[in-house]
Amino acid sequence: MLTKNRLKYYSSLLNKKNRTTENKFLVEGQKLIMEAIDSGYCCETILIHSQSVDENQDLIKQLNKKKIINEEVRSSDFVKLCDTKNPQGVIGVFQIKPQCEPTFENEKLIVAMESISDPGNVGTIIRNCDWFGVKNILLNPDCAEVYNPKVIRASAGSVFHLNIFEEKDFYNALKEQQRNGFVIICADLNGENLYTFNDKRKTILVLSNEANGPTDKLLEICDSKITIPKIGKAESLNVASASAVILSTLTKS
């Protein structure tokens, strides 16, 4: 059983500040845990609800084969580690991978997010990028953090497959890629029709906060603006939904 100190330590990883300080994060659910392990993330331990041991025997066998520590946790302690109302009975403690220097020489399309603070939207956009073969994502500091449990769940594990860079100097990072031959395309309600837009150059697609739209700082450096033409009466599209439509069009061969 977990000691009080270890329980307090692991539960503190539900907080962004502690994840950053300790360089660790939590993953809930068997499928996501195996996605993280199979993607090369270092697992410190797997915590299994005492009432879920029997139903997780297959997982336990896999963990034992991989020599990954797994331990039983009583119900009253397990709930303190959970971010969900209906826990899945198993939680993994993982180390955050060090962020390497981005290299985009062979990339045709990169996605960047500006001030998208909703973790569900960030996670879904990451999932959409994975589906459409976009391997690299840039985030500005005002976006939801990559290892937020809600981001991980919304990404359905895609967060473990891609190169995601949290850029403190976001706009200069974009300008640097402009100098490297990329054009910056900004999704905006007042942009050019997505379906008639035609630019085959290397592209960074920037998606912004859906309530506020692109900032002036972004608009100053973008090369083009695109929009999904409106047919019905809805005021706008959710940014994650819009990302799927745009990526589907931009990745057509």
Side-chain angles (χ1 to χ4, degrees):
M1 291 293 179
L2 282 180
T3 64
K4 286 184 179 180
N5 285 341
R6 288 182 67 219
L7 174 64
K8 183 178 180 181
Y9 175 68
Y10 289 143
S11 62
S12 76
L13 299 177
L14 290 169
N15 180 282
K16 177 183 176 180
K17 180 182 177 182
N18 293 324
R19 287 193 294 271
T20 303
T21 302
E22 298 301 321
N23 218 38
K24 295 176 186 176
F25 66 103
L26 301 179
V27 178
E28 189 174 340
Q30 181 173 333
K31 182 180 181 298
L32 291 176
I33 285 171
M34 291 311 300
E35 286 277 3
I37 291 170
D38 291 341
S39 299
Y41 279 79
C42 181
C43 182
E44 179 173 315
T45 188
I46 302 294
L47 308 170
I48 303 173
H49 191 296
S50 56
Q51 295 177 8
S52 300
V53 171
D54 289 343
E55 63 192 70
N56 282 293
Q57 283 303 309
D58 288 343
L59 173 64
I60 292 170
K61 287 177 183 177
Q62 290 182 69
L63 296 173
N64 289 338
K65 282 183 181 179
K66 295 176 183 289
K67 297 183 179 179
I68 295 172
I69 297 169
N70 54 92
E71 44 197 320
E72 195 174 318
V73 180
R74 61 190 174 195
S75 182
S76 58
D77 289 341
F78 194 85
V79 294
K80 297 175 184 177
L81 300 162
C82 298
D83 181 65
T84 56
K85 291 181 180 179
N86 299 302
Q88 297 184 49
V90 57
I91 291 171
V93 182
F94 289 87
Q95 292 182 9
I96 294 174
K97 284 184 178 180
Q99 182 167 304
C100 58
E101 282 296 316
T103 53
F104 306 132
E105 292 177 12
N106 301 316
E107 301 301 323
K108 293 182 179 179
L109 179 62
I110 299 167
V111 166
M113 297 185 225
E114 181 195 45
S115 304
I116 300 179
S117 56
D118 181 86
N121 282 337
V122 171
T124 304
I125 292 169
I126 291 170
R127 184 178 184 177
N128 292 341
C129 287
D130 196 11
W131 178 264
F132 288 106
V134 176
K135 298 176 183 177
N136 295 284
I137 298 173
L138 305 177
L139 305 179
N140 84 334
D142 294 324
C143 285
E145 175 225 2
V146 175
Y147 296 105
N148 180 307
K150 293 183 177 67
V151 171
I152 294 172
R153 285 198 302 277
S155 81
S158 288
V159 70
F160 304 127
H161 307 159
L162 308 181
N163 303 314
I164 304 174
F165 303 96
E166 296 177 310
E167 291 287 354
K168 292 180 181 178
D169 199 355
F170 181 72
Y171 303 101
N172 278 332
L174 293 179
K175 287 191 279 187
E176 181 180 347
Q177 295 311 318
Q178 273 182 317
R179 291 190 290 271
N180 291 334
F182 282 87
V183 292
I184 296 175
I185 297 174
C186 182
D188 185 50
L189 285 172
N190 300 312
E192 182 181 338
N193 187 324
L194 169 66
Y195 302 118
T196 58
F197 179 78
N198 185 26
D199 193 329
K200 300 300 182 185
R201 291 176 290 176
K202 297 191 300 182
T203 297
I204 298 178
L205 168 66
V206 188
L207 303 163
S208 299
N209 180 289
E210 61 188 75
N212 302 317
T215 62
D216 290 340
K217 205 166 184 179
L218 175 60
L219 292 173
E220 284 174 8
I221 62 173
C222 79
D223 298 290
S224 300
K225 296 188 292 181
I226 55 173
T227 193
I228 302 166
K230 176 179 173 180
I231 297 172
K233 295 181 179 180
E235 181 184 14
S236 63
L237 267 180
N238 168 274
V239 66
S241 301
S243 75
V245 176
I246 295 170
L247 289 171
S248 176
T249 302
L250 294 183
T251 55
K252 282 181 180 177
S253 53

